[in-house]
Amino acid sequence: MIKKNIEHLTEQIAKIASACERDPSSVTLLAVSKTKPVSAIQEAIAAGLTEFGENYVQEGVEKVTFFKQTQPEQVLCWHFIGPIQSNKTRPVAESFDWVHTIDRAKIAERLNAQRPDELRSLQVLIQVNISNQASKSGVAPNEVFALAKLITSLPKLCLRGLMCIPEPTDDPIKQKEIFAKMAHIGQQLSEIYPSVDTLSMGMSDDMTAAIETGSTMIRIGTAIFGRRGD
Ligand SMILES: *Cc1c(COP(=O)(O)O)cnc(C)c1O
């Protein structure tokens, strides 16, 4: 089932990308494996995926450790995509390759200080509260540049771009409006910081709009692994 789901999604991504004259390989499929067992991740690896996203620190660290110990030859890339509390930054800095949810200076500074020297820099995205939702994570669009300036002064972090979780809507025009705002900020940011090349936006219900507006990473859970208990 997981293999079939991945084949189907890969085809869909290729179709959407080609229709808007983008190279399908410019869109990374990030498999969101939160709450799913390692056996499910193994099936996804067998189907060709290498990028995985986790939301919960302890669960994520356990999976990263499992794969490093049991299949060290397997090159996987682990993305932390959940909210981060400042007392949980150390395990994230020690285990993950990417963090998508930087939304304040304190988190960036702690991750930088706690990133082990022997590891490559942590690849990070600034989470933007692009729909301006009360009580949602992420910085306001006009705060992105100050946080980016701080992040790029930290040697163990590499700023790669932006991430958002927009307010859900079924209207593709509204979806595209929001994603276009992200793309615009991302473009401005990449003109200042050449390391910026990533827009983590788009999930199962809005991946078409996201790819059409320039997403380089779509985050998909349910459509790969099936429904979660949450
Ligand atoms: C859970 C989650 C996803 C995937 O959601 P699905 O609806 O299962 O595809 C994507 N992004 C983030 C930040 C998530 O927490």
Side-chain angles (χ1 to χ4, degrees):
M1 203 61 216
I2 290 176
K3 182 166 189 272
K4 272 235 149 54
N5 290 344
I6 292 171
E7 284 169 1
H8 178 66
L9 269 167
T10 308
E11 254 171 51
Q12 268 186 297
I13 294 167
K15 265 195 203 144
I16 300 164
S18 308
C20 58
E21 291 174 4
R22 290 190 59 190
D23 178 354
S25 70
S26 67
V27 184
T28 299
L29 174 56
L30 176 57
V32 178
S33 45
K34 62 184 175 206
T35 80
K36 297 295 175 183
V38 292
S39 59
I41 298 174
Q42 264 153 344
E43 282 185 59
I45 296 170
L49 297 193
T50 55
E51 313 264 340
F52 293 92
E54 289 284 336
N55 286 59
Y56 309 107
V57 176
Q58 191 187 336
E59 179 194 340
V61 168
E62 278 169 17
K63 288 175 183 168
V64 176
T65 309
F66 173 85
F67 282 97
K68 281 197 177 132
Q69 285 175 351
T70 61
Q71 297 165 42
E73 72 291 347
Q74 188 72 251
V75 180
L76 302 176
C77 187
W78 293 94
H79 299 248
F80 190 79
I81 63 170
I84 312 188
Q85 294 164 286
S86 61
N87 63 351
K88 298 267 182 67
T89 49
R90 183 176 294 279
V92 172
E94 290 176 350
S95 290
F96 282 84
D97 303 293
W98 285 63
V99 174
H100 289 221
T101 45
I102 308 267
D103 63 356
R104 54 199 191 275
K106 185 178 178 189
I107 297 293
E109 284 162 348
R110 289 178 65 91
L111 289 170
N112 176 65
Q114 293 166 342
R115 182 71 169 171
D117 283 337
E118 67 276 15
L119 295 185
R120 134 181 219 249
S121 59
L122 189 60
Q123 311 297 298
V124 302
L125 304 176
I126 295 173
Q127 182 174 357
V128 185
N129 183 0
I130 196 71
S131 311
N132 193 23
Q133 289 169 281
S135 81
K136 286 288 176 181
S137 326
V139 300
N142 64 5
E143 294 168 343
V144 166
F145 295 89
L147 186 53
K149 189 168 181 194
L150 173 98
I151 290 171
T152 52
S153 75
L154 300 171
K156 294 298 289 180
L157 302 188
C158 177
L159 180 65
R160 296 295 296 273
L162 305 173
M163 175 270 207
C164 70
I165 309 172
E167 187 168 28
T169 163
D170 295 337
D171 180 351
I173 297 181
K174 285 198 185 125
Q175 292 172 351
K176 283 181 79 167
E177 255 171 38
I178 289 285
F179 289 141
K181 278 191 200 168
M182 284 285 288
H184 181 68
I185 304 168
Q187 176 60 35
Q188 289 178 309
L189 205 59
S190 71
E191 283 165 17
I192 309 173
Y193 306 109
S195 62
V196 168
D197 60 2
T198 302
L199 288 174
S200 165
M201 58 188 200
M203 304 179 18
S204 309
D205 296 331
D206 55 11
M207 64 182 248
T208 303
I211 294 169
E212 287 172 356
T213 41
S215 170
T216 67
M217 203 177 273
I218 55 171
R219 308 180 308 265
I220 310 282
T222 311
I224 294 175
F225 297 110
R227 288 188 58 181
R228 292 178 298 273
D230 65 18

